[in-house]
Amino acid sequence: MFIITLYIIPISLVKNVKALILAGGFGTRLRPLSCTRPKLMFPVANKPILDRILKNLSEHGITHVVLAVNYLADILIHNFGNSKYGMKISYSYEKKPLGTGGPIKKAEDLLNKNDEPFLVLNGDILTSINYLDIIKIHKKTDAIATLALYEVEDPSRFGVVDINGRGQIRSFVEKPKIEEAPSRLINAGVYVLDQAIFDIIPAGKKISIEREIFPLLAMKDKLYGMKFEGIWVDLGKPNDFIRANKLMLDLIANEKLFLEKDVKISKNAKIILPVAIGKGAIIEEETHIGPYVSIGEGVTVRKGTRIENSIIFSKAWIDHFTSIRGAIIGEGAIIEGWVKIEDECIVGDHAIINNNVTLTKNVKVCPSKEVKKSILEPETVM
Ligand code: GDD
Ligand code: MG
């Protein structure tokens, strides 16, 4: 009886629910990797974050997803096409970025075919939230927007709420100074919006839903929140990206190496879990890989190299006796022999790091640049 009840409630609730994913940000804080790909294409344990979001949505019964795109839209369209995981995918293309609110109004025709509320997701969030819970809570009130809320130590990078015991948000403030934050409960970037939102967001304008719409709804008692616990990471900065990769590896590769097809690993390589290795990668002898390493498709790791707590994008070439710790290496980058890269350094796509070079403390190398000398202080190589 209990099982039947649980089953019936979710299915009836998700009927006809659509989701809009905000997928157009520049990912400024993730440069230089975001110079060549949208943030949503960043691989987390070897799969683009958008792929993981779409899988999650389809498992919750969503059938139609609208991607609000502009920056590097072609890459997303090329990779995801018109359907994925059994869901229809449509694109709403902005010629000029419309912020976080404008794209919702722009996609009105795609989202208002029925009278149902719909989900809106920031595309740069990895979370274990149950989308059905928030839809269910939204339907119980007269809210125009219901926000998923998550508790964090430092809310100053986020939208922060003051909420009462009935789940009503009294005020919403975007990126407050830490001493002015009304609580530590933040907007987790997952909302349910009612069709009435289309009468509130003006058309054709760049609008910040967080600065211009949510405070207004709070004033009108039409903004509600649902606190949740579990996994939640925003991929804003390189550090977040390494953390998201770690969390995902803990979930999928803790007990067994997450291995794709045609990988060649020397039997003298030492793999310390959790580790994910992509299709066609080659790991030579006397290498130490892990813990917390994702190695993308077609990567070569040569003899004697050590990689720990790092993300290696596809087709990178890591030569012999090199050491990489806490760093991100872009697609097709060439890291020559006896190199040392650590402390949140980022090597852009197709960059070349010459033999014997050391990069530490947040050095960022732009795509296709060559680094010939060691850099030991934060610097961007342009
Ligand atoms: N289509 C479109 N057009 N999407 C955009 C645009 C745009 O002009 N600008 C940003 N986005 C997308 C981004 O790609 C991202 O998926 C989402 O909107 C949020 O933008 P961010 O730039 O990542 O915002 P944030 O991280 O500083 O803050 C937001 O997320 C926090 C949670 O991570 C806010 O919603 C905060 O209130 C929230 O706490
Ligand atoms: Mg963000």
Side-chain angles (χ1 to χ4, degrees):
M1 187 61 196
F2 182 58
I3 293 171
I4 290 172
T5 316
L6 273 179
Y7 180 73
I8 288 172
I9 292 172
I11 294 298
S12 61
L13 274 164
V14 291
K15 223 172 82 192
N16 296 327
V17 174
K18 297 180 180 181
L20 174 83
I21 304 181
L22 293 166
F26 292 117
T28 328
R29 289 164 294 173
L30 283 167
R31 283 181 187 152
L33 295 167
S34 54
C35 298
T36 37
R37 64 178 63 69
K39 201 164 28 166
L40 281 74
M41 284 303 297
F42 276 49
V44 175
N46 284 353
K47 246 187 215 284
I49 180 160
L50 180 56
D51 194 300
R52 297 200 176 276
I53 295 173
L54 291 176
K55 187 150 188 279
N56 207 0
L57 285 171
S58 104
E59 284 167 1
H60 284 87
I62 307 303
T63 50
H64 184 179
V65 173
V66 178
L67 294 184
V69 295
N70 69 313
Y71 177 65
L72 301 176
D74 292 353
I75 300 182
L76 291 168
I77 297 168
H78 174 77
N79 274 275
F80 291 94
N82 296 322
S83 70
K84 186 84 187 176
Y85 299 122
M87 300 181 297
K88 179 177 171 191
I89 302 193
S90 310
Y91 296 86
S92 174
Y93 178 73
E94 295 147 52
K95 286 191 184 138
K96 278 202 309 196
L98 293 175
T100 49
I104 299 170
K105 179 69 181 168
K106 183 162 195 309
E108 180 172 357
D109 285 350
L110 292 163
L111 293 166
N112 82 349
K113 295 262 161 57
N114 57 40
D115 218 19
E116 289 291 314
F118 53 93
L119 275 165
V120 175
L121 314 183
N122 286 354
D124 57 346
I125 305 288
L126 192 74
T127 176
S128 61
I129 192 173
N130 184 336
Y131 299 117
L132 304 182
D133 288 347
I134 184 166
I135 295 169
K136 194 160 112 185
I137 286 192
H138 178 83
K139 288 190 163 185
K140 280 188 182 155
T141 69
D142 63 346
I144 292 182
T146 304
L147 318 185
L149 304 173
Y150 192 79
E151 196 168 309
V152 296
E153 271 308 306
D154 174 8
S156 60
R157 284 171 53 197
F158 305 105
V160 191
V161 302
D162 174 20
I163 191 166
N164 70 17
R166 282 178 291 122
Q168 211 165 21
I169 295 174
R170 312 303 309 172
S171 67
F172 183 101
V173 40
E174 182 67 10
K175 301 192 177 65
K177 289 193 189 122
I178 185 134
E179 62 279 11
E180 285 166 17
S183 72
R184 289 197 289 122
L185 269 187
I186 61 135
N187 165 21
V190 174
Y191 330 129
V192 180
L193 300 182
D194 233 63
Q195 296 285 328
I197 199 76
F198 295 125
D199 301 329
I200 298 171
I201 305 178
K205 279 176 74 175
K206 185 170 185 179
I207 298 283
S208 159
I209 196 164
E210 300 87 351
R211 293 180 196 275
E212 296 168 71
I213 309 294
F214 290 157
L216 195 78
L217 294 178
M219 253 166 48
K220 294 183 171 174
D221 296 336
K222 294 287 187 190
L223 190 65
Y224 282 70
M226 182 200 83
K227 189 179 165 190
F228 74 101
E229 287 170 0
I231 293 175
W232 185 85
V233 194
D234 150 287
L235 268 87
K237 298 183 290 146
N239 222 354
D240 303 324
F241 183 33
I242 289 187
R243 194 159 71 89
N245 191 58
K246 263 178 127 167
L247 280 170
M248 191 45 72
L249 286 175
D250 264 334
L251 286 180
I252 65 168
N254 222 339
E255 279 157 24
K256 193 166 168 270
L257 181 61
F258 185 81
L259 207 59
E260 284 170 64
K261 276 193 284 186
D262 303 326
V263 172
K264 290 197 187 105
I265 304 180
S266 157
K267 51 182 187 316
N268 296 324
K270 189 167 177 205
I271 309 280
I272 306 138
L273 296 178
V275 169
I277 303 184
K279 200 162 98 190
I282 298 171
I283 312 290
E284 290 190 357
E285 68 273 25
E286 291 165 41
T287 45
H288 279 61
I289 311 288
Y292 297 112
V293 171
S294 289
I295 292 188
E297 204 174 306
V299 167
T300 301
V301 181
R302 301 220 46 211
K303 180 177 172 175
T305 278
R306 286 174 173 256
I307 308 178
E308 191 186 311
N309 194 26
S310 294
I311 304 169
I312 316 294
F313 282 40
S314 59
K315 300 186 196 78
W317 173 274
I318 323 277
D319 224 318
H320 49 253
F321 298 103
T322 273
S323 158
I324 298 175
R325 288 169 56 199
I328 308 173
I329 308 297
E331 184 172 332
I334 296 177
I335 315 297
E336 295 184 344
W338 306 97
V339 165
K340 196 167 156 191
I341 303 180
E342 48 196 38
D343 299 338
E344 289 175 47
C345 289
I346 304 183
V347 176
D349 295 348
H350 305 287
I352 302 172
I353 312 300
N354 285 176
N355 279 310
N356 295 307
V357 161
T358 295
L359 303 180
T360 59
K361 289 204 186 74
N362 240 313
V363 175
K364 297 188 166 73
V365 181
C366 285
S368 308
K369 287 286 151 192
E370 184 168 357
V371 179
K372 298 180 176 160
K373 284 192 198 141
S374 294
I375 307 174
L376 309 179
E377 291 300 324
E379 186 181 320
T380 300
V381 180
M382 315 246 275

